[in-house]
Coordinates of all heavy atoms in Angstrom, one line a residue:
M1 N 0.8 -1.2 0.0 CA 0.0 0.0 0.0 C 0.9 1.3 0.0 O 1.8 1.3 0.8 CB -0.9 0.0 1.2 CG -1.8 1.1 1.3 SD -3.0 0.8 2.6 CE -4.3 1.8 2.0
P2 N 0.6 2.2 -0.9 CA 1.4 3.4 -1.0 C 1.2 4.3 0.3 O 0.2 4.3 0.9 CB 1.0 4.1 -2.2 CG -0.4 3.6 -2.4 CD -0.5 2.2 -1.9
T3 N 2.3 5.1 0.6 CA 2.1 6.1 1.6 C 1.3 7.2 1.2 O 1.0 7.3 0.0 CB 3.5 6.7 2.0 OG1 4.0 7.4 0.9 CG2 4.5 5.6 2.4
S4 N 0.8 8.1 2.1 CA 0.0 9.2 1.7 C 0.7 10.1 0.7 O 0.2 10.6 -0.2 CB -0.4 10.0 2.9 OG -1.3 9.2 3.7
T5 N 2.0 10.3 1.0 CA 2.8 11.2 0.1 C 2.9 10.6 -1.3 O 2.7 11.3 -2.3 CB 4.3 11.4 0.7 OG1 4.1 12.0 2.0 CG2 5.1 12.3 -0.2
E6 N 3.1 9.3 -1.4 CA 3.2 8.6 -2.7 C 1.8 8.7 -3.4 O 1.8 8.9 -4.6 CB 3.6 7.2 -2.5 CG 5.0 7.0 -2.1 CD 5.3 5.6 -1.6 OE1 4.4 4.8 -1.3 OE2 6.5 5.2 -1.6
L7 N 0.7 8.6 -2.7 CA -0.6 8.7 -3.2 C -0.9 10.1 -3.8 O -1.4 10.2 -4.9 CB -1.6 8.3 -2.2 CG -3.1 8.2 -2.7 CD1 -3.3 7.2 -3.8 CD2 -4.0 7.9 -1.5
I8 N -0.5 11.1 -3.0 CA -0.7 12.5 -3.5 C 0.2 12.7 -4.7 O -0.3 13.3 -5.7 CB -0.4 13.4 -2.4 CG1 -1.4 13.3 -1.2 CG2 -0.3 14.9 -2.9 CD1 -1.0 14.0 0.1
T9 N 1.4 12.3 -4.7 CA 2.3 12.5 -5.8 C 1.8 11.8 -7.1 O 1.8 12.4 -8.1 CB 3.7 11.9 -5.5 OG1 4.2 12.6 -4.3 CG2 4.7 12.1 -6.6
T10 N 1.4 10.6 -6.9 CA 0.8 9.9 -8.1 C -0.4 10.6 -8.6 O -0.6 10.7 -9.8 CB 0.5 8.4 -7.7 OG1 1.6 7.8 -7.2 CG2 -0.1 7.6 -8.8
T11 N -1.3 11.0 -7.7 CA -2.5 11.7 -8.2 C -2.2 13.0 -8.9 O -2.7 13.2 -10.0 CB -3.4 12.0 -6.9 OG1 -3.8 10.8 -6.3 CG2 -4.7 12.7 -7.4
L12 N -1.2 13.7 -8.4 CA -0.8 15.0 -9.0 C -0.1 14.7 -10.4 O -0.4 15.4 -11.4 CB 0.1 15.8 -8.1 CG -0.5 16.4 -6.9 CD1 0.5 16.9 -6.0 CD2 -1.5 17.5 -7.3
T13 N 0.8 13.8 -10.5 CA 1.5 13.6 -11.7 C 0.6 13.0 -12.8 O 0.7 13.3 -14.0 CB 2.7 12.7 -11.5 OG1 2.3 11.4 -10.9 CG2 3.7 13.4 -10.6
E14 N -0.3 12.1 -12.4 CA -1.2 11.5 -13.4 C -2.3 12.5 -13.9 O -2.6 12.5 -15.0 CB -1.9 10.2 -12.8 CG -0.9 9.1 -12.6 CD -1.5 7.9 -12.0 OE1 -2.7 8.0 -11.5 OE2 -0.9 6.8 -11.9
T15 N -2.8 13.2 -13.0 CA -4.0 14.1 -13.3 C -3.5 15.4 -13.9 O -4.2 15.9 -14.8 CB -4.8 14.4 -12.0 OG1 -5.1 13.2 -11.4 CG2 -6.0 15.2 -12.3
F16 N -2.4 16.0 -13.4 CA -2.1 17.3 -13.9 C -0.8 17.3 -14.7 O -0.2 18.4 -15.0 CB -2.0 18.3 -12.7 CG -3.2 18.3 -11.9 CD1 -3.3 17.7 -10.7 CD2 -4.3 19.0 -12.4 CE1 -4.5 17.7 -10.0 CE2 -5.5 19.0 -11.7 CZ -5.6 18.4 -10.5
D17 N -0.3 16.1 -15.1 CA 0.9 16.0 -15.9 C 2.1 16.8 -15.4 O 2.8 17.5 -16.1 CB 0.5 16.5 -17.4 CG 1.6 15.9 -18.4 OD1 2.1 14.8 -18.1 OD2 1.8 16.6 -19.4
L18 N 2.3 16.6 -14.1 CA 3.4 17.3 -13.4 C 4.6 16.3 -13.5 O 4.5 15.1 -13.4 CB 3.1 17.6 -12.0 CG 2.0 18.7 -11.8 CD1 1.7 18.8 -10.3 CD2 2.4 20.0 -12.3
D19 N 5.8 16.8 -13.5 CA 7.0 16.0 -13.4 C 7.2 15.5 -12.0 O 7.2 16.3 -11.1 CB 8.2 16.9 -13.8 CG 9.5 16.2 -13.9 OD1 9.7 15.1 -13.2 OD2 10.4 16.6 -14.6
P20 N 7.3 14.2 -11.8 CA 7.4 13.6 -10.5 C 8.6 14.2 -9.7 O 8.5 14.4 -8.5 CB 7.7 12.1 -10.7 CG 7.1 11.9 -12.1 CD 7.3 13.2 -12.9
S21 N 9.7 14.7 -10.3 CA 10.8 15.3 -9.6 C 10.4 16.6 -9.0 O 11.1 17.1 -8.1 CB 12.0 15.4 -10.5 OG 11.8 16.3 -11.5
D22 N 9.4 17.3 -9.5 CA 8.9 18.6 -9.0 C 8.0 18.4 -7.8 O 7.8 19.4 -7.1 CB 8.2 19.4 -10.1 CG 9.1 19.9 -11.2 OD1 10.3 20.0 -10.9 OD2 8.6 20.1 -12.3
V23 N 7.4 17.2 -7.7 CA 6.4 17.0 -6.6 C 7.1 16.4 -5.4 O 7.3 15.2 -5.3 CB 5.3 16.1 -7.1 CG1 4.2 15.9 -6.1 CG2 4.7 16.6 -8.4
T24 N 7.6 17.3 -4.5 CA 8.3 16.9 -3.3 C 7.5 17.4 -2.1 O 6.6 18.3 -2.2 CB 9.7 17.6 -3.3 OG1 9.5 19.0 -3.2 CG2 10.5 17.2 -4.5
P25 N 7.7 16.7 -1.0 CA 6.9 17.0 0.3 C 7.0 18.5 0.7 O 6.0 19.0 1.3 CB 7.5 16.2 1.3 CG 8.1 15.0 0.6 CD 8.6 15.6 -0.7
E26 N 8.0 19.2 0.3 CA 8.2 20.6 0.7 C 7.4 21.6 -0.2 O 7.3 22.8 0.2 CB 9.7 21.0 0.7 CG 10.6 20.1 1.5 CD 11.0 18.8 0.8 OE1 11.0 18.8 -0.5 OE2 11.2 17.8 1.4
R27 N 7.0 21.2 -1.3 CA 6.4 22.1 -2.3 C 4.9 22.3 -1.9 O 4.2 21.4 -1.4 CB 6.4 21.4 -3.7 CG 7.8 21.2 -4.3 CD 8.6 22.4 -4.7 NE 8.0 23.3 -5.6 CZ 8.1 23.2 -6.9 NH1 8.9 22.3 -7.5 NH2 7.5 24.1 -7.7
T28 N 4.5 23.5 -2.2 CA 3.1 23.8 -2.0 C 2.3 23.6 -3.3 O 2.9 23.5 -4.4 CB 2.8 25.3 -1.6 OG1 3.2 26.1 -2.6 CG2 3.6 25.6 -0.3
F29 N 1.0 23.4 -3.2 CA 0.2 23.3 -4.4 C 0.3 24.5 -5.3 O 0.3 24.4 -6.5 CB -1.2 22.9 -4.0 CG -1.3 21.6 -3.3 CD1 -1.5 21.6 -1.9 CD2 -1.1 20.4 -4.0 CE1 -1.6 20.4 -1.3 CE2 -1.1 19.2 -3.3 CZ -1.4 19.2 -1.9
E30 N 0.4 25.7 -4.7 CA 0.5 26.9 -5.4 C 1.9 26.9 -6.2 O 1.9 27.3 -7.3 CB 0.5 28.1 -4.4 CG 0.5 29.4 -5.1 CD 0.3 30.5 -4.0 OE1 0.9 30.5 -2.9 OE2 -0.5 31.4 -4.3
E31 N 2.9 26.5 -5.6 CA 4.2 26.4 -6.2 C 4.2 25.5 -7.4 O 5.0 25.7 -8.4 CB 5.3 26.0 -5.3 CG 5.7 27.0 -4.2 CD 6.6 26.4 -3.1 OE1 6.7 25.2 -2.9 OE2 7.3 27.3 -2.5
L32 N 3.3 24.5 -7.4 CA 3.2 23.5 -8.5 C 2.3 24.1 -9.6 O 2.1 23.4 -10.6 CB 2.7 22.2 -8.0 CG 3.6 21.4 -7.1 CD1 2.9 20.2 -6.5 CD2 4.9 21.0 -7.8
G33 N 1.8 25.3 -9.4 CA 0.9 25.9 -10.4 C -0.5 25.5 -10.4 O -1.3 25.7 -11.4
L34 N -1.0 24.9 -9.3 CA -2.4 24.5 -9.2 C -3.2 25.7 -8.7 O -2.7 26.5 -8.0 CB -2.5 23.3 -8.2 CG -1.8 22.1 -8.6 CD1 -2.0 21.0 -7.6 CD2 -2.2 21.6 -10.0
D35 N -4.5 25.7 -9.1 CA -5.4 26.7 -8.6 C -6.5 26.0 -7.7 O -6.4 24.8 -7.5 CB -6.1 27.4 -9.8 CG -6.8 26.5 -10.7 OD1 -7.2 25.4 -10.4 OD2 -7.1 27.0 -11.8
S36 N -7.4 26.7 -7.2 CA -8.4 26.2 -6.3 C -9.3 25.1 -7.0 O -9.6 24.1 -6.3 CB -9.2 27.3 -5.7 OG -9.9 28.0 -6.7
L37 N -9.6 25.3 -8.2 CA -10.4 24.2 -8.9 C -9.6 22.9 -9.0 O -10.1 21.8 -8.8 CB -10.8 24.7 -10.3 CG -11.6 23.8 -11.1 CD1 -13.0 23.5 -10.4 CD2 -11.9 24.4 -12.5
A38 N -8.3 23.0 -9.3 CA -7.5 21.8 -9.4 C -7.4 21.1 -8.0 O -7.4 19.9 -7.9 CB -6.1 22.2 -9.9
L39 N -7.4 21.9 -6.9 CA -7.3 21.3 -5.6 C -8.6 20.6 -5.3 O -8.6 19.5 -4.7 CB -7.0 22.4 -4.5 CG -5.6 22.8 -4.5 CD1 -5.4 23.9 -3.4 CD2 -4.7 21.7 -4.2
V40 N -9.7 21.1 -5.7 CA -11.0 20.4 -5.5 C -11.0 19.1 -6.3 O -11.4 18.1 -5.8 CB -12.2 21.3 -6.0 CG1 -13.5 20.5 -6.1 CG2 -12.3 22.5 -5.1
E41 N -10.5 19.1 -7.5 CA -10.4 17.9 -8.3 C -9.5 16.9 -7.7 O -9.9 15.7 -7.5 CB -9.9 18.3 -9.7 CG -9.9 17.1 -10.7 CD -9.4 17.5 -12.1 OE1 -9.3 18.6 -12.4 OE2 -9.2 16.5 -12.9
M42 N -8.4 17.3 -7.2 CA -7.4 16.4 -6.5 C -8.1 15.9 -5.2 O -8.0 14.7 -5.0 CB -6.1 17.2 -6.2 CG -5.1 16.3 -5.5 SD -3.9 17.2 -4.6 CE -4.8 18.0 -3.3
G43 N -8.8 16.7 -4.5 CA -9.4 16.3 -3.3 C -10.4 15.2 -3.5 O -10.5 14.2 -2.8
L44 N -11.2 15.4 -4.6 CA -12.2 14.3 -4.9 C -11.5 13.0 -5.3 O -12.0 11.9 -4.9 CB -13.1 14.8 -6.1 CG -14.0 16.0 -5.7 CD1 -14.7 16.5 -6.9 CD2 -15.1 15.5 -4.7
M45 N -10.4 13.1 -6.0 CA -9.7 11.9 -6.4 C -9.1 11.2 -5.2 O -9.2 10.0 -5.0 CB -8.6 12.2 -7.4 CG -9.2 12.6 -8.7 SD -7.8 12.9 -9.9 CE -8.7 13.3 -11.3
L46 N -8.6 12.0 -4.3 CA -8.0 11.4 -3.1 C -9.1 10.8 -2.2 O -8.9 9.8 -1.6 CB -7.2 12.4 -2.3 CG -5.9 12.8 -2.9 CD1 -5.2 14.0 -2.2 CD2 -4.9 11.7 -3.0
Q47 N -10.2 11.5 -2.1 CA -11.4 10.9 -1.4 C -11.8 9.6 -1.9 O -12.1 8.7 -1.2 CB -12.5 11.9 -1.4 CG -13.7 11.4 -0.6 CD -14.9 12.4 -0.6 OE1 -14.7 13.5 -1.0 NE2 -16.0 11.9 -0.1
E48 N -11.8 9.5 -3.2 CA -12.2 8.2 -3.9 C -11.2 7.1 -3.5 O -11.6 6.0 -3.3 CB -12.3 8.4 -5.4 CG -12.8 7.2 -6.2 CD -12.9 7.5 -7.6 OE1 -13.7 8.4 -8.0 OE2 -12.1 6.9 -8.4
R49 N -9.9 7.5 -3.5 CA -8.9 6.5 -3.2 C -8.7 6.2 -1.8 O -8.2 5.1 -1.4 CB -7.6 7.0 -3.8 CG -7.6 7.1 -5.3 CD -6.3 7.7 -5.9 NE -6.4 7.7 -7.3 CZ -5.4 8.1 -8.1 NH1 -4.2 8.4 -7.6 NH2 -5.6 8.1 -9.4
T50 N -9.0 7.1 -0.9 CA -8.7 6.9 0.6 C -10.0 6.8 1.4 O -9.9 6.3 2.6 CB -7.9 8.0 1.1 OG1 -8.6 9.3 1.1 CG2 -6.6 8.2 0.4
G51 N -11.1 7.4 1.0 CA -12.3 7.4 1.8 C -12.3 8.6 2.7 O -13.2 8.8 3.5
V52 N -11.3 9.5 2.6 CA -11.2 10.7 3.5 C -11.6 11.9 2.7 O -11.1 12.1 1.6 CB -9.7 10.9 4.0 CG1 -9.6 12.2 4.7 CG2 -9.3 9.7 4.8
A53 N -12.6 12.6 3.2 CA -13.1 13.8 2.5 C -12.2 15.0 2.8 O -12.0 15.3 4.0 CB -14.5 14.1 3.0
L54 N -11.8 15.6 1.8 CA -10.9 16.8 1.9 C -11.7 18.0 1.5 O -12.3 18.1 0.4 CB -9.7 16.7 1.0 CG -8.7 15.6 1.4 CD1 -7.7 15.5 0.3 CD2 -8.1 15.8 2.7
E55 N -11.8 19.1 2.3 CA -12.4 20.3 2.0 C -11.5 21.5 2.4 O -10.8 21.4 3.3 CB -13.7 20.4 2.8 CG -14.7 19.3 2.5 CD -15.9 19.4 3.4 OE1 -16.1 20.4 4.1 OE2 -16.7 18.4 3.4
D56 N -11.6 22.5 1.5 CA -10.9 23.8 1.8 C -9.4 23.6 2.0 O -8.8 24.1 3.0 CB -11.5 24.4 3.1 CG -13.0 24.7 2.9 OD1 -13.3 25.1 1.8 OD2 -13.7 24.7 3.9
V57 N -8.7 22.9 1.1 CA -7.3 22.8 1.2 C -6.7 24.0 0.6 O -6.9 24.4 -0.5 CB -6.8 21.5 0.4 CG1 -5.3 21.5 0.4 CG2 -7.4 20.2 0.9
P58 N -6.0 24.8 1.5 CA -5.4 26.0 1.0 C -4.3 25.8 -0.1 O -3.5 24.8 0.0 CB -4.8 26.7 2.2 CG -5.5 26.0 3.4 CD -5.8 24.6 2.9
L59 N -4.1 26.7 -1.0 CA -3.1 26.5 -2.0 C -1.7 26.5 -1.4 O -0.8 25.9 -2.0 CB -3.2 27.7 -3.0 CG -4.3 27.6 -4.0 CD1 -4.4 28.9 -4.8 CD2 -4.1 26.4 -5.0
H60 N -1.5 27.1 -0.3 CA -0.2 27.2 0.3 C 0.1 26.0 1.2 O 1.2 26.0 1.9 CB 0.0 28.5 1.1 CG -1.0 28.7 2.2 ND1 -2.2 29.4 1.9 CD2 -1.0 28.4 3.5 CE1 -2.9 29.4 3.0 NE2 -2.2 28.8 4.0
T61 N -0.7 25.0 1.2 CA -0.5 23.7 1.9 C 0.6 23.0 1.2 O 0.7 22.9 0.0 CB -1.7 22.9 1.9 OG1 -2.8 23.6 2.6 CG2 -1.5 21.6 2.7
T62 N 1.5 22.4 2.0 CA 2.6 21.6 1.3 C 2.0 20.2 1.1 O 1.1 19.7 1.8 CB 3.8 21.5 2.2 OG1 3.5 20.8 3.4 CG2 4.5 22.8 2.5
I63 N 2.7 19.5 0.2 CA 2.3 18.1 0.0 C 2.6 17.2 1.2 O 1.7 16.4 1.6 CB 3.1 17.5 -1.2 CG1 2.7 18.2 -2.5 CG2 3.0 16.0 -1.4 CD1 3.5 18.0 -3.7
G64 N 3.7 17.5 1.9 CA 3.9 16.8 3.1 C 2.9 17.1 4.2 O 2.5 16.2 5.0
G65 N 2.5 18.4 4.3 CA 1.4 18.7 5.3 C 0.1 18.0 5.0 O -0.5 17.5 5.9
L66 N -0.3 17.9 3.7 CA -1.5 17.2 3.4 C -1.4 15.7 3.7 O -2.3 15.1 4.2 CB -1.9 17.5 1.9 CG -3.2 16.8 1.5 CD1 -4.4 17.3 2.4 CD2 -3.5 17.1 0.0
A67 N -0.2 15.2 3.4 CA 0.0 13.8 3.6 C -0.1 13.5 5.1 O -0.7 12.5 5.6 CB 1.4 13.3 3.1
A68 N 0.5 14.3 6.0 CA 0.4 14.1 7.4 C -1.0 14.2 7.9 O -1.4 13.5 8.8 CB 1.3 15.2 8.1
L69 N -1.8 15.1 7.3 CA -3.2 15.3 7.7 C -4.0 14.0 7.3 O -4.8 13.5 8.0 CB -3.7 16.5 7.0 CG -5.1 17.0 7.5 CD1 -5.0 17.4 9.0 CD2 -5.6 18.2 6.7
L70 N -3.7 13.5 6.1 CA -4.3 12.2 5.7 C -4.0 11.1 6.6 O -4.9 10.3 7.0 CB -3.9 11.9 4.3 CG -4.6 12.6 3.1 CD1 -4.0 12.2 1.8 CD2 -6.1 12.3 3.1
D71 N -2.7 11.1 7.1 CA -2.3 10.0 8.0 C -3.0 10.1 9.3 O -3.3 9.1 10.0 CB -0.8 10.1 8.2 CG 0.0 9.6 6.9 OD1 -0.6 9.0 6.1 OD2 1.2 10.0 6.9
R72 N -3.4 11.3 9.7 CA -4.0 11.5 11.0 C -5.6 11.5 10.9 O -6.2 11.7 11.9 CB -3.6 12.9 11.6 CG -2.2 13.0 12.1 CD -1.9 14.2 12.9 NE -2.4 15.5 12.2 CZ -1.6 16.3 11.5 NH1 -0.3 16.0 11.3 NH2 -2.1 17.4 10.9
A73 N -6.1 11.3 9.7 CA -7.5 11.5 9.5 C -8.3 10.6 10.5 O -9.4 11.1 11.0 CB -7.9 11.1 8.1
G74 N -7.9 9.4 10.8 CA -8.6 8.6 11.8 C -9.9 8.1 11.4 O -10.3 8.0 10.2
A75 N -10.7 7.9 12.4 CA -12.0 7.2 12.3 C -13.1 7.9 11.5 O -13.9 7.3 10.8 CB -12.5 6.7 13.6
D76 N -13.1 9.3 11.7 CA -14.3 9.9 11.1 C -14.2 10.1 9.6 O -15.1 10.4 8.9 CB -14.5 11.3 11.8 CG -13.5 12.3 11.6 OD1 -12.5 12.1 10.8 OD2 -13.7 13.4 12.1
G77 N -12.9 10.1 9.0 CA -12.8 10.1 7.6 C -13.1 11.5 7.0 O -13.5 11.5 5.8
A78 N -13.1 12.5 7.8 CA -13.4 13.8 7.2 C -12.5 14.9 7.7 O -12.1 14.9 8.9 CB -14.9 14.2 7.6
L79 N -12.0 15.7 6.8 CA -11.1 16.8 7.2 C -11.7 18.1 6.7 O -12.3 18.1 5.6 CB -9.7 16.6 6.5 CG -9.0 15.3 6.7 CD1 -7.8 15.1 5.8 CD2 -8.6 15.2 8.2
T80 N -11.6 19.1 7.5 CA -12.2 20.4 7.0 C -11.2 21.3 6.5 O -11.5 22.3 5.8 CB -13.0 21.0 8.1 OG1 -12.1 21.2 9.2 CG2 -14.2 20.2 8.6
A81 N -9.9 21.1 6.8 CA -8.9 22.0 6.3 C -7.5 21.4 6.4 O -7.3 20.6 7.4 CB -8.9 23.4 7.0
A82 N -6.6 21.7 5.5 CA -5.3 21.2 5.6 C -4.5 22.2 6.5 O -4.8 23.4 6.6 CB -4.7 21.1 4.2
P83 N -3.3 21.8 7.0 CA -2.5 22.7 7.8 C -1.9 23.7 6.9 O -1.7 23.5 5.8 CB -1.5 21.7 8.4 CG -1.4 20.6 7.5 CD -2.8 20.4 6.9
H84 N -1.5 24.8 7.5 CA -0.9 25.9 6.8 C 0.6 25.7 6.8 O 1.2 25.2 7.8 CB -1.2 27.3 7.5 CG -2.6 27.6 7.4 ND1 -3.2 28.3 6.4 CD2 -3.7 27.2 8.2 CE1 -4.5 28.4 6.6 NE2 -4.8 27.8 7.7
R85 N 1.3 26.1 5.8 CA 2.7 26.0 5.7 C 3.4 27.0 6.6 O 2.9 28.1 6.7 CB 3.1 26.3 4.2 CG 4.6 26.2 4.0 CD 4.9 26.4 2.6 NE 5.4 27.8 2.4 CZ 5.8 28.3 1.3 NH1 5.8 27.6 0.2 NH2 6.2 29.6 1.2
T86 N 4.4 26.5 7.3 CA 5.2 27.5 8.1 C 6.4 27.9 7.4 O 6.9 27.2 6.6 CB 5.6 26.8 9.4 OG1 6.4 25.6 9.1 CG2 4.4 26.4 10.3
R87 N 6.7 29.2 7.6 CA 7.9 29.7 6.8 C 9.1 29.8 7.7 O 9.1 29.9 8.8 CB 7.5 31.2 6.4 CG 6.4 31.1 5.4 CD 6.1 32.5 4.8 NE 4.9 32.5 4.1 CZ 4.9 32.4 2.8 NH1 6.0 32.2 2.1 NH2 3.8 32.4 2.1

């Protein structure tokens, strides 16, 4: 079974034709050139693959931050927001 980071990376590279070497845990979705509509699309795909509902993922969320949030999702299977990137 892939890790959350691998699942996010695969979803991004397959859906948005991103270079896998550009999709690193430190990168934000904004840095990858995604917009809010793309994040909604990605969230729906990840929900289908994981059963975890993602809502309101900020563009400045890192891939690693979203992966950690997915890992912590737990029993209720619903997330209302991803963590904010720290500078």
